C-alpha cells in the first residue's frame, strides 16, 4: 500500500531544523529523520526505516525539555504513546482480538462446558449410561466484554494514528468505539484487572491499553494533530553509541572527581563528577568514547568537529584512568564517534564503510606524542547501521572500532 501525503524532511541539526520524529496535521504527514540516515525508496522498506527511527526516540524515556508531546488544542501534557501503539498493533495483527486467558468457572450449563473439569466429579451410572450432574462451565463475564471493548478502542485509535506505517486500516464492524469512550470506566476496569491477574503477558497488554487511554479526553479522541519526536537527537545518538559499544561493569569508577574547600563551609565538599559517555574495556585496555552528534560526516568542515573543551575532557578521562587505576590496565585510548552516511557523502570514494577513521585531535599545551590517552581519534559511524543495530551487542562492531582507534592512535 502506498504511503500517501508523506513529506520526508532531513533534520540537519541546525537551529530550527533539529526535530526528529513525525508531525501529523489532518491528513498531511511530515517525517523528520537524521540527515545521515539513508532512507529506502520503496514504501515497504521505507515503513521499516521510519519505525526504526521512531523506536530510537523512545530512548529519551523521561519527559524533558527536548521531548515533544501529543500536540493539540485540547492537551499540552499528553505524551504520544507510540510505544504502546506499536505494541497494540503488533498484538492485534498477531492475535486478532482481546481474549481473557484467565477463565472463570461456574457450576451449571450456562456457558461453554469444561468437560475436563466436569469429568473429575463423581458421575451417576444409570442403565449403562454415565451421567454427570455437577456440570462445570466457563463463565464469560460482563467485565471481559468491557475489556474487549477497551482493547478494540485502543486498536482503532492506534491504527487511525499510525496505521499508515503498516499499510493497514481498521474495520470496526459497524461499531463506533470512539462514541463508547468513557475514560473513568475504562481506567477503572483496567486497573482492577491488572490487580487481579497473574498472567504476565496480559499485564503487558493491559498496561499498553492504559498508556493509550491515560492522557485522552473527549476532545483528543478524533484529533488528527500529532507531534512525536525529540527536538534534539543528541541524547538519543549518545544512547545508541553506548548501547552498541559499551563494555564495562561499572562506569562510575571512571568518573573523575573533584572537591571544594570553601571559607564559609566547615568541611570539604564534593564537586560534580565528569561523566564519560561510553567506556569499553577489552584485553586489559580501556577505550573512552564520546558520542558527538556533529555534522562533520555531512559537511567535512573542520568547524564541525568537537571543540577544544571536548578534547580536554577526553584527555582528562584518560589521565584519570592512568593515575587512579595505575598499573591496572595496559593502555588507555580515547575517541570521538560522529554520524555519517556510507551511502551518500561527498567523499564516498574514500569513506564508505560502517566505521571510518577521519583524524586525530591533540592538545598543543601537553606532550601528546608518547601518550595514547592524549591523542583522540575521530571515528565516523554509519547512522543507518547504528539505528538498525544499536540493540545488538556484537563483538565484530566492538573489534572494528578498537582496531580503527589503535591503528590510528
Amino acid at each position: 500500500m502506498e504511503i500517501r501525503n508523506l513529506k520526508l524532511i532531513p533534520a540537519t541539526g541546525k537551529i530550527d531544523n533539529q526535530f526528529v520524529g513525525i508531525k501529523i496535521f489532518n491528513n498531511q504527514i511530515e517525517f523528520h529523520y537524521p540527515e545521515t540516515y539513508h532512507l529506502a525508496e520503496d514504501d515497504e522498506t521505507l515503513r521499516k526505516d521510519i519505525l526504526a527511527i521512531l523506536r530510537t526516540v523512545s530512548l529519551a524515556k523521561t519527559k524533558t525539555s527536548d521531548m515533544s508531546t501529543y500536540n493539540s488544542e485540547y492537551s499540552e501534557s499528553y505524551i504520544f504513546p507510540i510505544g504502546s501503539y506499536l505494541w497494540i498493533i503488533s498484538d492485534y495483527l498477531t492475535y486478532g482480538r482481546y481474549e481473557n486467558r484467565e477463565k472463570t468457572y461456574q457450576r451449571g450449563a450456562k456457558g461453554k462446558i469444561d468437560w475436563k473439569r466436569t469429568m473429575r466429579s463423581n458421575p451417576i451410572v444409570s442403565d449403562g449410561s454415565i451421567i454427570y450432574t455437577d456440570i462445570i462451565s466457563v463463565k464469560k463475564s460482563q467485565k471481559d466484554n468491557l475489556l474487549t471493548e477497551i482493547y478494540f478502542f485502543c486498536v482503532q485509535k492506534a491504527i487511525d494514528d499510525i496505521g499508515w506505517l503498516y499499510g493497514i486500516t481498521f474495520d470496526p464492524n459497524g461499531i463506533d468505539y470512539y462514541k463508547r469512550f468513557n475514560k473513568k470506566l475504562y481506567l477503572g476496569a483496567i486497573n482492577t484487572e491488572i490487580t487481579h491477574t497473574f498472567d504476565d503477558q496480559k499485564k503487558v497488554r493491559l498496561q499498553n491499553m492504559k498508556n493509550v487511554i491515560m492522557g485522552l479526553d473527549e476532545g483528543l479522541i478524533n484529533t488528527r494533530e500529532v507531534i512525536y519526536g525529540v527536538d534534539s537527537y543528541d541524547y538519543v545518538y549518545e544512547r545508541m553509541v553506548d548501547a552498541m559499544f559499551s563494555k564495562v561493569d561499572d562506569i562510575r569508577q571512571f568518573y573523575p572527581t573533584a572537591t571544594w574547600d570553601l571559607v564559609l563551609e566547615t568541611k570539604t565538599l564534593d564537586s560534580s563528577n565528569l561523566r564519560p559517555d561510553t567506556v569499553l574495556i577489552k584485553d586489559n585496555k580501556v577505550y573512552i568514547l564520546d558520542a558527538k552528534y556533529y555534522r562533520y560526516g555531512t559537511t567535512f568542515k573542520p568547524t564541525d568537529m568537537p571543540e577544544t573543551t571536548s578534547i580536554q575532557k577526553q584527555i582528562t578521562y584518560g589521565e584519570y584512568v592512568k593515575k587512579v587505576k595505575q598499573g591496572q590496565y595496559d593502555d588507555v585510548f580515547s575517541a570521538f564517534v560522529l554520524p555519517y552516511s556510507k551511502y551518500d557523502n561527498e567523499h564516498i570514494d574514500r569513506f564508505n564503510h560502517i566505521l571510518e577513521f577521519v583524524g586525530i585531535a591533540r592538545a598543543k599545551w601537553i606532550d601528546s606524542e608518547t601518550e595514547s590517552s592524549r591523542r583522540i581519534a575521530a571515528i565516523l559511524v554509519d547512522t543507518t547501521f547504528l539505528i538498525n543495530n544499536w540493540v545488538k551487542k556484537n563483538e565484530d562492531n566492538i573489534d572494528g572500532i578498537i582496531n580503527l582507534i589503535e591503528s590510528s592512535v
Side-chain angles (χ1 to χ4, degrees), residues 151-164:
Y151 179 75
F152 278 124
F153 165 82
C154 294
V155 170
Q156 181 168 359
K157 184 61 180 163
I159 291 179
D160 282 354
D161 280 357
I162 64 168
W164 56 273

Side-chain angles (χ1 to χ4, degrees), residues 64-65 147:
T64 61
S65 58
L147 290 171

Side-chain angles (χ1 to χ4, degrees), residues 19 22-25 68-71 80 225-229:
F19 177 81
I22 57 171
K23 296 181 179 180
I24 303 173
F25 301 96
S68 295
T69 62
Y70 191 124
N71 190 30
F80 186 60
E225 295 186 10
V226 169
I227 296 178
Y228 177 77

Side-chain angles (χ1 to χ4, degrees), residues 100-316:
N100 188 356
R101 298 177 183 176
E102 295 175 298
K103 300 176 181 178
T104 302
Y105 300 94
Q106 64 180 1
R107 282 182 166 80
K110 294 181 179 180
K112 184 179 179 180
I113 297 176
D114 188 310
W115 288 109
K116 186 176 180 180
R117 289 175 178 265
T118 297
M119 287 188 291
R120 291 176 185 169
S121 62
N122 294 320
I124 298 174
V125 180
S126 177
D127 296 330
S129 299
I130 299 176
I131 302 172
Y132 290 92
T133 58
D134 192 10
I135 302 297
I136 306 297
S137 59
V138 180
K139 181 182 179 182
K140 179 71 173 178
S141 69
Q142 187 62 35
K143 178 184 67 176
D144 291 338
N145 293 332
L146 176 59
L147 290 171
T148 299
E149 176 185 317
I150 299 170
Y151 179 75
F152 278 124
F153 165 82
C154 294
V155 170
Q156 181 168 359
K157 184 61 180 163
I159 291 179
D160 282 354
D161 280 357
I162 64 168
W164 56 273
L165 285 172
Y166 294 84
I168 60 173
T169 57
F170 178 67
D171 181 6
N173 198 24
I175 301 173
D176 190 342
Y177 288 102
Y178 287 177
K179 286 187 176 180
R180 296 188 178 191
F181 178 76
N182 185 319
K183 182 177 180 179
K184 184 176 181 180
L185 176 65
Y186 283 7
L187 290 178
I190 291 173
N191 288 332
T192 298
E193 195 68 7
I194 288 175
T195 303
H196 291 90
T197 186
F198 297 97
D199 186 330
D200 290 339
Q201 176 72 3
K202 183 178 178 182
K203 282 185 177 180
V204 173
R205 181 181 292 108
L206 291 167
Q207 185 59 55
N208 281 293
M209 290 160 61
K210 182 177 179 179
N211 292 344
V212 171
I213 294 165
M214 277 292 290
L216 287 174
D217 55 32
E218 284 72 12
L220 273 171
I221 297 302
N222 294 296
T223 185
R224 293 293 292 152
E225 295 186 10
V226 169
I227 296 178
Y228 177 77
V230 284
D231 292 325
S232 174
Y233 202 63
D234 300 59
Y235 177 72
V236 175
Y237 179 73
E238 291 170 10
R239 290 287 303 275
M240 290 190 295
V241 169
D242 185 60
M244 178 172 284
F245 297 113
S246 66
K247 197 172 183 180
V248 62
D249 293 331
D250 183 8
I251 194 173
R252 289 173 297 182
Q253 63 179 304
F254 295 96
Y255 291 177
T257 57
T259 59
W260 275 104
D261 288 305
L262 301 173
V263 296
L264 296 180
E265 300 294 334
T266 58
K267 60 181 180 179
T268 298
L269 302 177
D270 289 331
S271 181
S272 59
N273 298 333
L274 284 177
R275 300 183 179 185
D277 285 351
T278 298
V279 174
L280 163 59
I281 299 176
K282 188 167 184 179
D283 298 331
N284 210 42
K285 298 176 184 177
V286 179
Y287 306 84
I288 302 169
L289 310 181
D290 187 11
K292 291 293 187 186
Y293 193 63
Y294 289 7
R295 301 192 69 221
Y296 180 79
T298 299
T299 67
F300 292 95
K301 294 179 179 179
T303 52
D304 287 321
M305 289 296 282
E307 57 288 316
T308 302
T309 53
S310 296
I311 295 170
Q312 177 58 56
K313 275 187 181 180
Q314 289 301 103
I315 293 174
T316 299

